[in-house]
Amino acid sequence: MKIAVLGSGGWGTALAILLLENGNEVTLWSYTEEESARLQSSRENPLLPEVTLPEGLRFSTDLSCVSSCDLVVMATPSFAVRNTSRQVRPLLKPDTILVSVSKGIEKDSSLRLSQVIREETGGDFPVVVLSGPSHAEEVARHVPTACVAACEDCALAERVQDVFLNERFRVYSSTDVVGVELGAALKNVMALCAGCCAGMGYGDNTKAMLMTRGLAEMARLGVALGADRETFAGLTGMGDLIVTCTSLNSRNNRAGILIGKGVPIQEAIAQIGAVVEGYFAVDSARTLAQKVGVEMPITEAAYRILYQGAEIRTVISELMQRKKRHETEERWA
Ligand SMILES: NC(=O)c1ccc[n+]([C@@H]2O[C@H](COP(=O)([O-])OP(=O)(O)OC[C@H]3O[C@@H](n4cnc5c(N)ncnc54)[C@H](O)[C@@H]3O)[C@@H](O)[C@H]2O)c1
């Protein structure tokens, strides 16, 4: 199969390697000439330490590389998905499958990224979402990993499942696109918060509370938007939440730790040196929650800290003193 991967950050590069190893003809597209030249000359991506880019991987900065492809992987940061989709639309051949692997909710529209891609490509091309607990660094080092390929059309999800899976990258299929995409976007909010608590010196109890109650509010929003509650207990919900909230590989977690230690927010984000999707996801998730009238206390608390300058300790104390409630309130309402 001919495949283009758009975006040569850690994730785009790791997936390009995987797809090449699966016997496909793969072109890795970079946003800048410098980035592409660096990858080609060093045969390394600094975001994937100790991984050599394999022979046979092609490089390009020309988006028309998609024109002969059967499948195009959209792996840019979330803020660039709309523009990239708009630019590739006239270059794609009919029936090209678009695979969205970026994680986030678009800032101003509050749309999921597959919705953004559909909007910009006029619904002419099938879109499948690939998501799950998957650090690029580990996938590139062949660490056993599992993800989910989601599409309303189950047969299409299964086609993409076949393209990506191998003996160290297990792929499940799903038809719950809403749940899969929201899990991926919202866990970044919780990772920032988990990092923040760790940075403040709080312990495992706080992290466990945050992850569990975070998952509850993620699922609450998801269900209100049409997702299946069960999806949040799976790889793209609980799975991704575990990996992001507990690992120092997660930029969102690391940014949170710095913020919790008192580093000013913009300085903390700058220190990470790459896109901290969770920062934008907090704003988008809060807007979405307000739109559908769903309560998301942790997301709201994160918004107050990140965007309104609220004092972290005060916000946490207020969260702890919210009105008492039943743990599974949804079932008792
Ligand atoms: N890194 C991971 O482990 C991982 C795993 C799963 C999903 N993701 C998601 O994949 C997406 C990409 O993340 P990443 O870690 O590969 O890289 P990243 O966020 O560091 O950046 C990806 C690439 O986007 C390019 N880029 C920057 N501005 C651009 C623009 N305006 N238009 C087009 N491209 C632009 C950069 O040159 C860079 O190569 C994110 O949404 C992320 O949440 C990442």
Side-chain angles (χ1 to χ4, degrees), residues 8-11 31 35 75-77 80 101-103 134-136 251 277:
S8 58
W11 194 217
Y31 180 57
E35 195 169 310
T76 66
V101 303
S102 307
K103 294 179 176 176
S134 51
H135 288 314
R251 304 162 190 178
E277 295 278 16

Side-chain angles (χ1 to χ4, degrees), residues 7-13 29-32 35 47 74-80 83-84 101-104 113 132 134-137 187-188 251-252 273-275 277:
S8 58
W11 194 217
T13 307
W29 174 86
S30 296
Y31 180 57
T32 65
E35 195 169 310
L47 296 165
M74 312 289 286
T76 66
S78 62
F79 68 80
N83 196 32
T84 311
V101 303
S102 307
K103 294 179 176 176
L113 300 178
S134 51
H135 288 314
E137 302 84 329
K187 56 93 197 189
N188 285 332
R251 304 162 190 178
N252 295 288
V275 180
E277 295 278 16

Side-chain angles (χ1 to χ4, degrees), residues 164-181:
F164 281 85
L165 63 73
N166 62 33
E167 73 282 5
R168 53 188 180 273
F169 194 75
R170 186 162 172 75
V171 185
Y172 291 83
S173 59
S174 166
T175 52
D176 184 13
V177 180
V178 179
V180 164
E181 271 190 309

Side-chain angles (χ1 to χ4, degrees), residues 8 30-42 44 46 60-61:
S8 58
S30 296
Y31 180 57
T32 65
E33 297 282 349
E34 293 85 325
E35 195 169 310
S36 189
R38 209 175 339 111
L39 292 174
Q40 287 177 71
S41 63
S42 67
E44 274 179 12
S60 180
T61 52

